[in-house]
Amino acid sequence: MPNEWSTVTRLLHQTFSIPVTYQSEAALSHAPYLMEEAAGVSLYIPFEENGGMLQLGPAPEANLSKDRLIDIGSLAYYMLYQRELDAAALQKNSFALPMIQSAENRQNISFHHHPYLEEKLFDCIRAGKPDLVKEQLQSFPDELSGTLAKQNALRNRKNLAITAITLATRAAIDGGLAPELAFTMSDVYIQQIEEKTNLAALIRLQTEALCAFAEKVSEIKAGTYSRKIAHCVHYIYQHLYEVLTLKQLADMLKMNPTYLSARFKQEVGMPIRAYIQHLRIEEAKLLLRLTDQSLLHICALLHFHDQSYFTKVFKKHTGLTPRLFREQA
């Protein structure tokens, strides 16, 4: 980077009467963006090297127009990268247009999160998989977020975070976490959310909270399995869409296949093959209920060798054929 953030910050402070700060939290976008907050409009310029960002503002529009803020931001961007800021792209990336976003959501029929993505996220908490929770959150399309406070981006994010923590609390209880502990964690995190004044810090706290719920569930579940079997269970869950064999799992764990098979059945209560099949049927139920993917496609995704066999196994587990299950869901 031609100019360090500290140099640019100092020069901007000397030239303009506007708050200029460096934020170490991860930016919401790789491109510059505007953010409308309670204190006014801010312009964020992400750093390409360290993941932080330069924040210009917030400044009430009565004191500094949005166009003037963009002009200052264009200068800062050029000082940092020696190239011009695309103002048109900046407006497009802006988080300060909730009414337009709401209209676009209606046109695209995407008022809230896709239910399958949401269910997968909380399923990871129930299963006690904090690393998968983080993966799900990172891959969650931001444009599919609901709008709970149209005029204030920070308030909207706080409301969404509180909703997520409430659902995570229930999922953790379903996963075996003691209700008293789950509700105490919920109260603490919601109080911390209300204290946040920075959007990036708020999102980081939400991620921390959801991963913490999954971690606590993981501790509960790990207490019933030995380290090797807990690792095996975790690996199966994480690689459910891949081919899984006893030999592959045994090689991964550096165990004898026969010994692994016997130990797994003893601790988990069912053979490895039956356990994999059980998880895949649970996954199929989600796909049938929350997506429009064809039965043939779901069958192939989850490695059932043909649709008739998939139907037979699904009916054995649920009492319904996949088609009837989808119709009743």
Side-chain angles (χ1 to χ4, degrees), residues 267-327:
E267 294 191 26
V268 180
M270 66 177 75
I272 288 181
R273 186 169 180 271
Y275 181 77
I276 294 171
Q277 192 175 83
H278 167 74
L279 287 187
R280 284 179 170 159
I281 292 299
E282 291 301 310
E283 191 75 3
K285 287 163 65 177
L286 283 178
L287 293 172
L288 287 166
R289 183 161 56 91
L290 301 171
T291 78
D292 58 0
Q293 295 175 7
S294 69
L295 298 185
L296 186 61
H297 183 63
I298 293 172
C299 175
L301 275 177
L302 295 172
H303 299 280
F304 289 92
H305 54 73
D306 61 52
Q307 191 170 329
S308 61
Y309 177 67
F310 169 62
T311 299
K312 178 181 177 181
V313 174
F314 190 93
K315 187 173 182 180
K316 178 182 176 182
H317 280 76
T318 66
L320 299 170
T321 65
R323 196 176 305 277
L324 189 58
F325 178 87
R326 169 170 274 172
E327 290 172 359

Side-chain angles (χ1 to χ4, degrees), residues 253-272:
L253 294 166
K254 296 182 173 54
M255 293 177 69
N256 176 276
T258 303
Y259 178 69
L260 171 60
S261 178
R263 186 71 177 270
F264 189 97
K265 184 176 181 180
Q266 179 186 6
E267 294 191 26
V268 180
M270 66 177 75
I272 288 181

Side-chain angles (χ1 to χ4, degrees), residues 97-118:
L97 303 172
M99 298 304 289
I100 293 176
Q101 182 64 62
S102 179
E104 290 176 351
N105 285 345
R106 284 195 296 274
Q107 293 168 20
N108 295 325
I109 320 177
S110 59
F111 297 98
H112 301 286
H113 312 306
H114 191 294
Y116 175 67
L117 297 177
E118 182 181 280

Side-chain angles (χ1 to χ4, degrees), residues 71-287:
D71 288 341
I72 298 173
S74 297
L75 175 62
Y77 190 79
Y78 189 82
M79 292 166 66
L80 288 168
Y81 297 115
Q82 270 74 72
R83 60 178 185 265
E84 293 185 7
L85 175 66
D86 186 343
L90 177 66
Q91 292 285 5
K92 185 177 181 181
N93 292 336
S94 174
F95 287 77
L97 303 172
M99 298 304 289
I100 293 176
Q101 182 64 62
S102 179
E104 290 176 351
N105 285 345
R106 284 195 296 274
Q107 293 168 20
N108 295 325
I109 320 177
S110 59
F111 297 98
H112 301 286
H113 312 306
H114 191 294
Y116 175 67
L117 297 177
E118 182 181 280
E119 187 63 27
K120 282 293 293 179
L121 172 63
F122 294 111
D123 193 43
C124 290
I125 293 175
R126 291 184 197 96
K129 310 297 179 185
D131 52 341
L132 294 185
V133 169
K134 189 172 291 186
E135 286 180 18
Q136 289 289 324
L137 287 170
Q138 289 172 347
S139 63
F140 220 102
D142 194 72
E143 66 272 13
L144 293 186
S145 296
T147 300
L148 301 181
K150 293 183 177 180
Q151 302 302 325
N152 187 313
L154 183 63
R155 182 68 261 169
N156 181 58
R157 273 292 183 174
K158 285 185 177 182
N159 291 348
L160 289 171
I162 290 170
T163 301
I165 286 174
T166 301
L167 293 173
T169 303
R170 298 296 181 184
I173 292 172
D174 290 344
L177 188 62
E180 183 178 352
L181 176 56
F183 288 126
T184 299
M185 290 175 62
S186 175
D187 291 343
V188 170
Y189 278 115
I190 288 174
Q191 289 169 13
Q192 291 179 7
I193 281 171
E194 289 295 353
E195 294 171 358
K196 292 298 178 184
T197 58
N198 179 276
L199 225 152
L202 170 61
I203 292 172
R204 188 173 64 178
L205 176 61
Q206 177 184 317
T207 300
E208 175 192 322
L210 268 58
C211 288
F213 277 111
E215 187 66 45
K216 288 297 182 184
V217 173
S218 176
E219 291 173 4
I220 297 297
K221 293 183 180 297
T224 62
Y225 298 147
S226 65
R227 185 177 60 84
K228 289 277 190 179
I229 299 304
H231 187 189
C232 185
V233 167
H234 174 80
Y235 185 90
I236 290 170
Y237 189 90
Q238 194 169 14
H239 297 81
L240 203 55
Y241 285 88
E242 302 172 19
V243 174
L244 292 168
T245 66
L246 175 60
K247 184 180 184 307
Q248 173 194 351
L249 293 169
D251 289 345
M252 182 268 297
L253 294 166
K254 296 182 173 54
M255 293 177 69
N256 176 276
T258 303
Y259 178 69
L260 171 60
S261 178
R263 186 71 177 270
F264 189 97
K265 184 176 181 180
Q266 179 186 6
E267 294 191 26
V268 180
M270 66 177 75
I272 288 181
R273 186 169 180 271
Y275 181 77
I276 294 171
Q277 192 175 83
H278 167 74
L279 287 187
R280 284 179 170 159
I281 292 299
E282 291 301 310
E283 191 75 3
K285 287 163 65 177
L286 283 178
L287 293 172

